Amino acid sequence: MDDDDADYMQGSDEDYGFDYSDDGGSGDEEQSADVENMYYTAKSKKEDNPEQALKEFRAIVDKEEEKGDWGFKALKQSTKLLFLVLRRPADALRTYKELLTYTKSAVTRNYAEKTINSILDYVGGGKSGPVEVNILEQFYEATKAALAEAKNDRLSAKTNLKLAKLWLDRKEYGRLQKILSELYQATLGESGEDQAQKGTQLLEIYALEIQMHNERKNYKKLKEIYNASNAVRSAIPHPRILGVIKECGGKMWMGERQWNRASEDFFDSFKNYDEAGSPQRIQVLKYLVLANMLTGSEVNPFDSQETKPYKNDSQIKAMTDLVDAYQRREVHAAEKILRDNKATIMDDPFIRSYIGELLRSLRTQYLIDLIKPYTRLELTFLAKQLNVDSDEVEELLIGLILEGRIEGRIDQVAMRLELESKHSLQKKRYSALDKWSTALDSIHSTVIGKNHSGSRGDYGGYGMSDSFGLGPDRW
């Protein structure tokens, strides 16, 4: 028994409450046995002689006077043969449409749903090579029409989500937006609808839309969807859905240079992908390590209980080495790791776009440590130490001076960095304090001088106390 038959047996325990009669039972049983034999005979020819198998499956459909389970299974096999083996998607679409007419009464609802999902999976999965978009669309349109007629809203929503994912993978954004609109409309159900189910479906839709905006780099819309997803309270989503949303959120925060928030979202994304068993957890773990280094944190991201098991993973080892080099401020070791691990680090466009920022941060820290013992250094010397040109060194030093992280100036004629000595810095501080003290004394003297000069002229020749008829003896 193959998977097709196993699915049928699992889905056939549903009781429709039919009344059975013994009259004429033996004839029906004999006919059923004949059709069953025909089915398994046809099935045995699928690999060696698919065209003959196809004819014999058609004979089963024609032999049944009423639509039954063997005809349904024959059409299922025919659709699979035509699409995956014979590569005739248009013919497969015809047999699929015929199969859908059997889902109303010939087979159990559970088995029908499994069959539909199975067919749509291989139709959109690319197993048979490139398929024209209009053929794919017709498969889904036929499915949606049949489900609408059967009033199967649950499977209809699942089918739309599957189609939306297909359009997302194919970057058919116009078609995707149309399906998303239909899905959003479907969530506006009756007030008595299960709120948890509605929230779960909303998060699935948000996960698809947020990926579209991320791929199109529409960060304004991405942030809107991200905030909307965080506002959903009543939901029991699959952890993979949360992983997708948090991953896109992390990328959004990275774009805004909010490294700490990005690190938090990437960590949440990693935990959800890990719970779901998704291979995307490895890629997101790399993003987490990148964000953590950009924060300048001294905490090793692999010290946590969740990430520690992946520390020696072959895909992650390069990132752990990069963290070690970063924390030791070994800029040359970090550059070597990036050169030697192009496939696991630099081939990812997202990581690659932030490597320049990471190296700049690392070079800045290295530069601060390097110049500490000196009062004067040639820019060419610093450039040689960092393995960059003098212009980049000058740019780094200007940034450090403007940020107040180093005290000094650049002599652009001599191409030299001149640092203030500790003694000189203390002298400047004392001088600034002295000027501040002198200014305060001057202000104080001015205020006292005005008070003692008398204010009779200002109040019609009387002092303030006299103007109210109160001499000193009356206070």
Side-chain angles (χ1 to χ4, degrees):
M1 182 184 295
D2 68 4
D3 292 341
D4 297 333
D5 297 323
D7 284 346
Y8 172 72
M9 294 303 292
Q10 290 170 8
S12 62
D13 57 358
E14 197 168 321
D15 184 4
Y16 282 88
F18 294 137
D19 292 328
Y20 297 96
S21 171
D22 290 337
D23 297 337
S26 59
D28 292 340
E29 287 176 6
E30 288 177 7
Q31 184 179 1
S32 177
D34 289 343
V35 174
E36 182 177 358
N37 288 334
M38 289 174 66
Y39 173 79
Y40 286 110
T41 301
K43 195 173 178 183
S44 66
K45 299 177 182 178
K46 280 170 55 179
E47 293 185 9
D48 298 331
N49 194 345
E51 289 288 0
Q52 182 60 33
L54 203 60
K55 291 178 182 177
E56 293 184 16
F57 282 132
R58 171 47 59 185
I60 293 169
V61 176
D62 295 339
K63 185 177 179 65
E64 284 191 326
E65 295 179 3
E66 293 183 2
K67 291 176 180 176
D69 53 303
W70 291 112
F72 179 84
K73 293 173 76 175
L75 287 168
K76 180 182 178 181
Q77 294 289 349
S78 298
T79 304
K80 194 172 185 179
L81 268 176
L82 286 164
F83 196 91
L84 293 177
V85 180
L86 299 173
R87 308 290 173 87
R88 285 152 48 188
D91 291 339
L93 178 61
R94 280 194 289 273
T95 59
Y96 179 63
K97 286 181 177 179
E98 188 176 356
L99 175 145
L100 289 172
T101 64
Y102 280 64
T103 60
K104 297 175 187 174
S105 58
V107 292
T108 67
R109 185 180 181 124
N110 191 30
Y111 182 47
E113 287 187 8
K114 285 184 178 181
T115 300
I116 290 170
N117 279 325
S118 171
I119 291 173
L120 292 180
D121 280 342
Y122 67 68
V123 164
K127 291 181 180 179
S128 64
V131 181
E132 293 180 16
V133 170
N134 66 319
I135 292 289
L136 289 174
E137 207 159 26
Q138 287 180 58
F139 265 96
Y140 276 91
E141 288 302 325
T143 306
K144 287 159 67 177
L147 294 174
E149 188 178 345
K151 294 183 170 55
N152 192 336
D153 295 336
R154 183 175 64 84
L155 186 56
S156 184
K158 282 186 176 181
T159 302
N160 270 336
L161 286 167
K162 195 184 290 285
L163 179 57
K165 180 66 169 66
L166 180 63
W167 293 147
L168 177 68
D169 292 342
R170 286 173 165 255
K171 302 188 186 304
E172 294 278 350
Y173 299 125
R175 287 182 165 91
L176 173 57
Q177 286 180 317
K178 181 182 175 184
I179 293 296
L180 289 174
S181 297
E182 291 180 23
L183 284 164
Y184 279 125
Q185 193 63 35
T187 63
L188 305 174
E190 301 293 329
S191 58
E193 184 179 350
D194 183 352
Q195 291 301 308
Q197 183 177 346
K198 178 182 175 182
T200 301
Q201 188 174 335
L202 263 176
L203 285 178
E204 290 187 55
I205 302 168
Y206 288 149
L208 289 164
E209 186 171 3
I210 204 170
Q211 288 178 89
M212 177 182 72
H213 294 314
N214 179 60
E215 289 179 10
R216 301 178 82 178
K217 296 182 172 25
N218 186 346
Y219 297 116
K220 182 180 178 182
K221 288 295 294 180
L222 190 156
K223 195 163 192 175
E224 287 179 18
I225 300 301
Y226 175 81
N227 290 333
S229 67
N230 285 336
V232 175
R233 292 290 176 264
S234 299
I236 312 171
H238 191 281
R240 183 185 59 79
I241 299 300
L242 294 178
V244 167
I245 293 171
K246 289 298 183 180
E247 178 188 349
C248 291
K251 289 180 176 179
M252 175 189 73
W253 295 127
M254 289 285 280
E256 296 182 6
R257 299 172 63 82
Q258 297 196 42
W259 315 126
N260 284 309
R261 298 186 76 168
S263 183
E264 290 169 8
D265 271 4
F266 284 140
F267 186 58
D268 287 341
S269 176
F270 166 76
K271 288 192 295 183
N272 279 292
Y273 279 137
D274 195 32
E275 184 182 344
S278 170
Q280 186 62 11
R281 62 191 167 195
I282 298 297
Q283 205 60 28
V284 170
L285 184 53
K286 293 179 186 179
Y287 301 158
L288 169 61
V289 172
L290 174 66
N292 189 75
M293 286 189 287
L294 287 170
T295 64
S297 172
E298 295 295 330
V299 178
N300 191 318
F302 291 100
D303 288 343
S304 76
Q305 184 180 351
E306 292 86 353
T307 58
K308 191 175 289 184
Y310 296 92
K311 186 173 183 177
N312 295 316
D313 186 282
S314 58
Q315 289 291 311
I316 295 295
K317 188 66 172 65
M319 294 301 284
T320 62
D321 293 342
L322 189 60
V323 170
D324 291 340
Y326 185 87
Q327 292 186 333
R328 294 194 305 270
R329 305 285 188 262
E330 294 182 1
V331 64
H332 302 307
E335 289 173 341
K336 185 176 186 304
I337 290 166
L338 292 172
R339 284 195 305 271
D340 294 347
N341 295 276
K342 187 174 182 297
T344 55
I345 299 178
M346 298 299 286
D347 279 357
D348 185 299
F350 179 75
I351 293 178
R352 189 168 61 246
S353 66
Y354 289 97
I355 287 298
E357 188 84 37
L358 180 66
L359 287 175
R360 181 185 177 86
S361 172
L362 184 54
R363 284 167 182 155
T364 299
Q365 291 296 333
Y366 183 80
L367 198 55
I368 291 171
D369 293 340
L370 180 64
I371 66 178
K372 275 181 183 177
Y374 302 97
T375 57
R376 186 181 294 117
L377 295 105
E378 302 292 333
L379 295 191
T380 51
F381 167 76
L382 293 174
K384 186 177 179 181
Q385 293 299 309
L386 285 173
N387 198 27
V388 296
D389 57 42
S390 297
D391 289 340
E392 187 169 346
V393 168
E394 185 177 355
E395 185 183 344
L396 290 171
L397 290 170
I398 290 171
L400 288 170
I401 292 169
L402 292 175
E403 291 170 11
R405 296 173 71 181
I406 61 173
E407 297 281 353
R409 70 183 188 87
I410 297 174
D411 184 339
Q412 291 185 315
V413 176
M415 293 299 288
R416 188 167 54 221
L417 170 67
E418 296 182 356
L419 295 164
E420 301 284 356
S421 66
K422 289 185 179 180
H423 178 73
S424 176
L425 287 172
Q426 287 176 350
K427 188 175 178 180
K428 282 189 174 182
R429 289 192 185 101
Y430 289 139
S431 176
L433 283 169
D434 186 53
K435 287 180 181 178
W436 182 57
S437 177
T438 302
L440 282 176
D441 285 342
S442 176
I443 293 168
H444 181 263
S445 299
T446 303
V447 172
I448 295 299
K450 284 186 177 180
N451 285 342
H452 283 288
S453 66
S455 50
R456 292 179 182 271
D458 294 333
Y459 291 94
Y462 295 94
M464 186 179 288
S465 58
D466 292 340
S467 68
F468 288 95
L470 298 173
D473 59 319
R474 297 216 183 167
W475 285 93

